[in-house]
Amino acid sequence: WTTRRYGDPTRGIHTVQMELAFRTYIDEPAQVTANNWPPALIHEARAAEARAILREILVSCIHYAGKLSHESL
């Protein structure tokens, strides 16, 4: 929905939608119960690693978009 809602390639507006599993940045319990879901604590080391990877991906997208806009001038 997000990409269709906000993207408009005919006007040069492109979108990227990324979805992450909770296990990317939290410790998921082996057995989910009402008492342990949602997990309260972020796994900081995993979250930091995910942030670094996501930052690299997004910076690459921004650079690519800038390159495309300069080529069209």
Side-chain angles (χ1 to χ4, degrees), residues 4-67:
R4 281 184 247 136
R5 171 79 169 111
Y6 295 105
D8 188 352
T10 60
R11 292 187 18 217
I13 300 170
H14 302 278
T15 58
V16 174
Q17 180 173 331
M18 294 188 284
E19 298 182 20
L20 304 174
F22 276 134
R23 68 180 59 96
T24 304
Y25 55 91
I26 64 170
D27 285 324
E28 287 186 281
Q31 184 71 27
V32 175
T33 68
N35 294 328
N36 67 8
W37 193 259
L41 300 175
I42 291 177
H43 189 286
E44 285 300 330
R46 244 188 269 145
E49 185 178 343
R51 274 193 224 80
I53 293 167
L54 291 171
R55 183 175 290 112
E56 187 177 328
I57 291 168
L58 293 171
V59 166
S60 295
C61 289
I62 291 165
H63 286 294
Y64 181 72
K67 180 182 172 188

